Amino acid sequence: MPANGNSHAYFNIDEVRSKNVLKQITQLINEVTNITETFPLKPGQTTEGLVATLDAAVANFLQTGSFAISKCPIANSDPRAIDLLHEALGAVQDTGQVMIQTGRDFVRDSTSTNKRAIATNSGRNLLTAVAKFLILADSIDVKVIVDKVDEVRETAHQMIEADTKIKVDDLYNLLISQIEELDITVRRRAIDLVKPNQRDDLLAARSALRQTAPLLYTSTRTFVRHPEHEEARRNRDYTADEMHSALNALESVLNGQQPKVTFSEYGRIGDLINEIDTFQNRIEIDPAHYRRGTDRPDLEGHCERIVSGSASIADAESTRENRKQKIVAECNNLRQALQELLTEYEKSTGRRDDNDDIPLGIAEVHKRTKDLRRHLRRAIVDHISDAFLDTRTPLILLIEAAKEGHEENTRYRSKMFQEHANEIVSVARLSCQLSSDVESVSVIQHTAAQLEKLAPQVAQAAILLCHQPTSKTAQENMETYKNAWFDKVRLLTTALDNITTLDDFLAVSEAHIVEDCERGIKGITANASTPDENAANCETVDCAAGSIRGRALRVCDVVDAEMDFLQNSEYTETVKQAVRILKTQRVDQFAERASALANRQEAHGLTWDPKTKEEEMNEFINACTLVHDAVKDIRHALLMNRSMNDVDSDVEYEADGVGAANADANRTISEQENQQNLMRRLPEEEKKKIQAQIDIFKVTQTRFEREVAKWDETGNDIISLANNMCKIMMSMTEFTRGCGPLKTTMDVIRAAQEISLNGSKLNALARQIGEESADSQTKKDLLAYLSQITLYCQQLNICSKVKADVTQVGNELVVSALDSAMSLIQTARNLLTAVVQTVKAAYIASTKCAQRERARVESAVALSDAHKAINYESPMDESGEKK
């Protein structure tokens, strides 16, 4: 082994695809390294013991290798492979013996450069021999699995070529047994693969193989029974291609090659979300480093790409008009905010004074980007909510039409089903534009591609059933395709739910229920002069009612699934109870009342006078209100453990969520004592000024989190104190907005006192580090930042006495607290900045302390060596030279 420890330079490490192989090679590398490298011995270790350990490791390797060869499953079918294994194991034995001998020679005379070189070369040869043996053994293991793949491929081919149902049945039973046997080895191999993408691709191919087998069986049986129908041939050819693709993908991955279509290639973050993340990280520039010629065009280019990507979502077919307008408005706001920020950067060039306009501009760009994100997310959730409202009905209607043998109706339903399939595939791909969850994106894109190919075959199976409605094989074929479709749609729905926040989903569901209610009202109040017009109005009301019921049940399913991931508590029980009320009471009551209304409209709609229409409209509104209020109750229950900062909303949460989120805390404080309520009653103009300061504070907080995240809080008192101070300051700034855990002025005062206490502790710890620092400038910087912390803690104590006074001006109540609130936020921001600088300076000072300690130890060692040289006579070697 070479002195630099680069053991794998003498064989291609990329050839090692198995974790087990890599582990064994690494273990032997460590044993050889212990001998050939000059590592210090552990207590109780001897150099001879290291050689003995290597000797035992090689012997154990040889014994294990011999046993594995004797049990090799291809011993009879491929004797040449067995010979190669024996040769490779013999090379390990020979090089191992040489290594052990040269290792003993080296450790007995470790100062000999020649013996070190010989031992190193022997170690290199041993490791190369071991690697070659393990890689060869691994390739033979792969060949065994590939042989099983070939067996499955041959059986599948025979089944496709079978001309009787009996042959098909027999071959399918054989195929299933072969797939089960192959499945066990493939799963074991997948776990052992080194590269995650190969593991994912192998498991995806395995899953495709298992899913395709039943389709291949029913399609082949149907073709044997009805070869005269083109639809039967298309089904069979499709499943045959899918089976071969799955088997080819398995073989490619097993051999370390890239399959034609891989699961891992779908796991790519969307361009839009990538642009937004990059843009937000890029806008924070040190004013001294800003360059107009490079930074301005770069940021403007990012912004325009974000606008272009947003436009593609805004212009999508199912995007609501009001949501489209909001997206367009936020794109313009983002452009404007960026231009204002760039102007401030250019103004600050060459200036030395602090410019608050830059942090304010950064905060404004972040705010506009956050608003744009929210509207884009909500637009996508609009699409998901519509497309996945009812994923079963289109196919069920198609199958029912096919069973009736009505070809025209079947083809019409087939077209409707294909449109539904295209919609869910399109929406699924659109949703990936704003998700950074690589795993979920992979599942969504891969499943969408499968559904896109499967949809035409489902339609073909339905048309075939329409031609042969009494055929049992056609019915079984249709049932298999139906199950395959529903399984994949279920998987896609789950993956979409994983990348959709519950807050967005509930907000959109509530809005859609209101839209459906308005649609139903139009159907009730529309004039009908003929039975056909009345039937159309009835259908409008019925569709609106069905949509409301479907959305409510979907809310129940999504929220229940979310609660299942949480540990049982009073909170989860409250949410589940709200879901149960909606699912078992409100939905049934709504369905009953809506059904009765639809029956009355169908029977007497033509004779309804304006008064009757108004009564029926009110009845429909009241029925819809049952569902809408129940959904709102679920949202309120979910918000019970949230603060306002946890929820990114349009306006629906600010109005309803604050009271719900803080309900428990408000129960113990009277209305007169709760100054937080008064802060919420500040005039809108003052609220905007406070919000602007909070936005700047959040920019500072983000910088703080980035800096502090570099160090582990465990066992680091300075980082722990800094984090705690930041959390308390966040609570104080929340109070100025009328939210958060602090309710009264006394709460804010106590929080400021706690910050001062933490500041004193941090001051003492950092000052101790500064005193021990060897560098005077570092010490000076650290002490300067510590003095700032003391100053800002005192100022924060003064500013914490926020007075929220109410005065009567005419008929209006006026709350005055602006100056104190603004000062509190600004002081908190200054304090947080000083804490960040202190943490950085303390780290630099600690490195200086370590350098000084090392220098002290080295001086002591040098002094000790000098004493030894004076007091003791130097030993002589055999030639009489001093060593």
Side-chain angles (χ1 to χ4, degrees):
M1 180 175 173
N4 63 5
N6 188 16
S7 62
H8 56 74
Y10 303 99
F11 59 89
N12 187 1
I13 197 69
D14 291 334
E15 293 181 29
V16 181
R17 301 196 300 271
S18 166
K19 290 180 183 177
N20 189 37
V21 171
L22 193 61
K23 179 182 177 182
Q24 294 187 56
I25 293 175
T26 304
Q27 183 178 355
L28 197 59
I29 286 174
N30 292 334
E31 301 293 347
V32 173
T33 301
N34 285 335
I35 297 174
T36 59
E37 295 293 336
T38 55
F39 294 137
L41 295 174
K42 296 178 182 178
Q45 250 184 350
T46 64
T47 53
E48 289 291 345
L50 294 177
V51 178
T53 301
L54 176 62
D55 192 3
V58 172
N60 182 60
F61 185 90
L62 293 171
Q63 182 180 358
T64 305
S66 297
F67 179 78
I69 293 174
S70 67
K71 298 296 183 181
C72 186
I74 63 170
N76 297 325
S77 60
D78 193 353
R80 175 57 183 159
I82 300 301
D83 292 340
L84 290 174
L85 284 173
H86 280 300
E87 290 176 11
L89 190 62
V92 173
Q93 183 176 11
D94 294 341
T95 55
Q97 290 174 351
V98 174
M99 175 62 209
I100 292 163
Q101 183 59 48
T102 57
R104 284 200 179 97
D105 293 341
F106 170 63
V107 298
R108 289 170 184 163
D109 185 10
S110 59
T111 60
S112 172
T113 305
N114 185 47
K115 290 181 179 180
R116 173 188 289 275
I118 294 172
T120 299
N121 189 58
S122 299
R124 177 194 312 161
N125 294 335
L126 172 60
L127 293 177
T128 302
V130 169
K132 287 181 176 179
F133 174 78
L134 291 174
I135 292 171
L136 177 61
D138 188 60
S139 66
I140 291 176
D141 283 344
V142 169
K143 186 178 184 306
V144 172
I145 305 176
V146 171
D147 287 344
K148 294 181 184 296
V149 173
D150 289 336
E151 290 176 4
V152 173
R153 183 183 285 112
E154 178 60 28
T155 303
H157 177 72
Q158 291 177 10
M159 191 172 80
I160 293 167
E161 297 296 324
D163 54 2
T164 67
K165 290 200 294 184
I166 295 176
K167 284 185 180 180
V168 173
D169 292 343
D170 292 341
L171 289 168
Y172 179 67
N173 290 332
L174 176 60
L175 180 70
I176 290 299
S177 65
Q178 291 174 340
I179 290 176
E180 291 296 332
E181 183 180 355
L182 174 64
D183 188 69
I184 296 172
T185 56
V186 166
R187 279 190 288 123
R188 189 184 302 124
R189 179 67 183 177
I191 294 171
D192 194 43
L193 285 174
V194 173
K195 296 181 179 179
N197 63 317
Q198 288 186 340
R199 179 175 63 250
D200 293 341
D201 291 340
L202 190 63
L203 291 175
R206 162 188 169 267
S207 177
L209 181 65
R210 293 178 64 88
Q211 293 170 3
T212 306
L215 291 175
L216 179 64
Y217 171 60
T218 57
S219 297
T220 305
R221 288 182 89 246
T222 305
F223 177 75
V224 170
R225 177 67 180 82
H226 303 289
E228 70 278 7
H229 292 290
E230 181 65 17
E231 293 81 10
R233 186 188 62 78
R234 290 174 182 170
N235 275 171
R236 189 205 57 177
D237 291 348
Y238 160 77
T239 52
D241 289 342
E242 289 296 296
M243 175 66 73
H244 287 308
S245 296
L247 291 170
N248 291 339
L250 274 175
E251 185 172 354
S252 296
V253 178
L254 288 169
N255 288 324
Q257 300 167 354
Q258 185 82 359
K260 289 184 178 179
V261 179
T262 66
F263 174 81
S264 55
E265 75 178 4
Y266 291 113
R268 191 175 67 85
I269 301 300
D271 293 335
L272 180 56
I273 189 65
N274 189 46
E275 285 290 347
I276 292 175
D277 289 341
T278 304
F279 175 75
Q280 287 197 278
N281 292 328
R282 183 74 177 79
I283 60 171
E284 295 190 31
I285 307 171
D286 184 345
H289 297 154
Y290 175 79
R291 297 293 180 268
R292 175 185 174 89
T294 56
D295 292 326
R296 175 179 278 274
D298 183 43
L299 287 170
E300 288 177 340
H302 278 298
C303 184
E304 289 307 313
R305 287 191 290 274
I306 290 171
V307 170
S308 177
S310 302
S312 65
I313 295 176
D315 293 337
E317 186 176 349
S318 299
T319 301
R320 266 66 171 174
E321 185 61 30
N322 62 339
R323 188 67 67 183
K324 178 178 180 179
Q325 292 173 2
K326 289 178 181 178
I327 292 173
V328 172
E330 287 305 334
C331 286
N332 292 330
N333 291 338
L334 180 61
R335 282 171 168 155
Q336 182 64 29
L338 176 61
Q339 291 303 318
E340 292 174 358
L341 174 61
L342 294 175
T343 300
E344 292 302 327
Y345 274 129
E346 288 159 11
K347 285 182 182 178
S348 68
T349 304
R351 290 170 54 179
R352 296 186 178 180
D353 57 320
D354 292 335
N355 184 4
D356 277 351
D357 289 335
I358 288 180
L360 186 59
I362 292 173
E364 183 65 15
V365 173
H366 280 312
K367 181 178 182 300
R368 294 306 179 186
T369 308
K370 181 180 179 182
D371 291 341
L372 178 59
R373 278 181 189 260
R374 182 177 63 253
H375 291 309
L376 291 172
R377 288 199 322 267
R378 296 287 175 87
I380 287 175
V381 177
D382 280 337
H383 289 256
I384 294 173
S385 180
D386 289 339
F388 289 82
L389 175 62
D390 184 3
T391 56
R392 298 183 66 86
T393 299
L395 180 53
I396 290 173
L397 292 177
L398 171 60
I399 294 173
E400 289 178 352
K403 286 180 178 179
E404 293 173 357
H406 196 297
E407 184 172 353
E408 184 178 352
N409 191 27
T410 300
R411 293 194 179 277
Y412 170 75
R413 292 295 182 186
S414 174
K415 180 181 177 182
M416 298 297 293
F417 168 76
Q418 188 64 59
E419 290 176 356
H420 162 72
N422 293 340
E423 183 181 12
I424 64 175
V425 169
S426 174
V427 168
R429 287 173 175 160
L430 185 67
S431 68
C432 296
Q433 284 296 307
L434 278 177
S435 175
S436 54
D437 185 343
V438 175
E439 185 175 346
S440 294
V441 167
S442 295
V443 174
I444 291 170
Q445 295 277 26
H446 185 252
T447 308
Q450 290 179 322
L451 286 171
E452 190 173 32
K453 291 194 295 184
L454 182 61
Q457 302 305 319
V458 174
Q460 294 291 333
I463 294 172
L464 175 63
L465 178 61
C466 178
H467 292 320
Q468 301 289 338
T470 59
S471 170
K472 186 177 180 181
T473 55
Q475 293 171 3
E476 291 174 350
N477 187 54
M478 185 73 256
E479 185 70 16
T480 305
Y481 273 95
K482 182 191 77 171
N483 293 337
W485 177 263
F486 285 153
D487 286 344
K488 291 187 184 300
V489 170
R490 194 179 302 112
L491 175 61
L492 182 60
T493 305
T494 302
L496 286 169
D497 289 343
N498 286 339
I499 66 171
T500 304
T501 66
L502 202 54
D503 296 333
D504 287 337
F505 176 74
L506 288 175
V508 166
S509 296
E510 281 187 47
H512 287 181
I513 288 172
V514 173
E515 289 179 2
D516 293 331
C517 180
E518 293 173 352
R519 184 155 54 98
I521 290 172
K522 289 180 181 179
I524 294 171
T525 58
N527 293 323
S529 56
T530 65
D532 289 341
E533 290 179 354
N534 185 58
N537 292 340
C538 290
E539 185 176 358
T540 299
V541 176
D542 187 54
C543 288
S547 295
I548 291 172
R549 181 178 180 276
R551 295 188 197 282
L553 293 175
R554 178 104 167 87
V555 166
C556 295
D557 292 340
V558 172
V559 176
D560 270 339
E562 186 78 12
M563 291 300 103
D564 288 341
F565 283 104
L566 302 179
Q567 187 175 1
N568 286 338
S569 63
E570 183 180 353
Y571 164 69
T572 58
E573 284 304 314
T574 302
V575 175
K576 288 180 179 179
Q577 178 61 23
V579 171
R580 279 193 291 269
I581 290 174
L582 174 60
K583 194 171 187 177
T584 62
Q585 298 179 28
R586 300 292 182 259
V587 170
D588 291 342
Q589 292 171 6
F590 168 79
E592 184 179 347
R593 294 171 68 169
S595 178
L597 187 153
N599 291 334
R600 291 195 299 272
Q601 184 180 18
E602 185 177 5
H604 309 292
L606 288 172
T607 61
W608 278 358
D609 54 31
K611 182 178 179 181
T612 304
K613 284 186 177 182
E614 184 175 357
E615 290 174 353
E616 295 293 350
M617 179 185 69
N618 290 334
E619 168 63 12
F620 188 72
I621 291 173
N622 291 335
C624 293
T625 302
L626 288 173
V627 176
H628 186 269
D629 288 349
V631 173
K632 186 181 291 186
D633 289 342
I634 292 174
R635 174 160 59 81
H636 285 174
L638 285 164
L639 289 172
M640 288 299 290
N641 70 338
R642 311 269 192 94
S643 70
M644 281 179 62
N645 290 317
D646 294 331
V647 181
D648 179 22
S649 69
D650 293 337
V651 292
E652 70 274 4
Y653 287 107
E654 274 87 9
D656 301 325
V658 174
N662 298 317
D664 290 339
N666 289 342
R667 290 194 190 104
T668 59
I669 300 175
S670 68
E671 188 70 21
Q672 289 76 22
E673 294 174 322
N674 192 346
Q675 279 103 0
Q676 190 188 84
N677 287 339
L678 299 179
M679 298 302 297
R680 287 204 291 271
R681 294 164 64 184
L682 283 169
E684 287 300 320
E685 196 63 33
E686 295 188 5
K687 284 184 179 179
K688 290 180 180 179
K689 292 179 181 178
I690 290 175
Q691 185 60 48
Q693 289 298 321
I694 288 176
D695 289 339
I696 298 177
F697 175 85
K698 286 184 176 180
V699 173
T700 305
Q701 182 195 3
T702 302
R703 291 173 181 167
F704 168 86
E705 290 171 348
R706 287 177 185 169
E707 190 66 34
V708 172
K710 298 174 184 176
W711 293 282
D712 184 7
E713 184 175 343
T714 307
N716 192 328
D717 292 337
I718 289 181
I719 299 301
S720 178
L721 287 168
N723 278 326
N724 194 35
M725 291 173 75
C726 179
K727 290 175 184 176
I728 300 171
M729 280 185 267
M730 272 302 300
S731 297
M732 295 176 77
T733 57
E734 284 181 348
F735 175 81
T736 64
R737 295 174 60 205
C739 62
L742 308 180
K743 306 300 177 185
T744 68
T745 301
M746 281 307 301
D747 291 340
V748 180
I749 293 172
R750 292 190 192 99
Q753 291 171 346
E754 187 176 352
I755 287 177
S756 293
L757 180 61
N758 287 332
S760 299
K761 293 178 181 178
L762 190 148
N763 195 316
L765 289 170
R767 190 174 296 277
Q768 181 180 354
I769 294 174
E771 294 295 343
E772 296 177 0
S773 176
D775 186 77
S776 59
Q777 185 59 45
T778 301
K779 178 179 178 179
K780 183 179 177 181
D781 291 343
L782 179 57
L783 296 179
Y785 293 133
L786 290 175
S787 65
Q788 290 182 11
I789 288 181
T790 303
L791 172 64
Y792 291 135
C793 283
Q794 292 172 351
Q795 289 183 4
L796 201 62
N797 270 320
I798 298 171
C799 296
S800 65
K801 299 172 178 60
V802 178
K803 298 298 182 184
D805 299 324
V806 181
T807 56
Q808 185 84 24
V809 179
N811 295 326
E812 294 183 358
L813 289 175
V814 177
V815 184
S816 59
L818 180 63
D819 292 340
S820 296
M822 298 275 280
S823 298
L824 187 145
I825 300 169
Q826 290 168 356
T827 305
R829 177 164 61 93
N830 292 336
L831 175 57
L832 199 58
T833 301
V835 170
V836 172
Q837 298 294 348
T838 300
V839 169
K840 292 170 68 175
Y843 170 72
I844 295 171
S846 66
T847 61
K848 301 296 183 181
C849 293
Q851 291 172 4
R852 185 170 73 174
E853 180 64 19
R854 283 196 299 271
R856 186 187 66 78
V857 172
E858 289 169 358
S859 298
V861 171
L863 185 61
S864 175
D865 291 343
H867 280 297
K868 289 178 181 179
I870 294 170
N871 296 327
Y872 298 99
E873 186 175 341
S874 298
M876 304 285 184
D877 63 12
E878 294 177 356
S879 64
E881 296 282 321
K882 286 185 179 181
K883 287 187 179 180

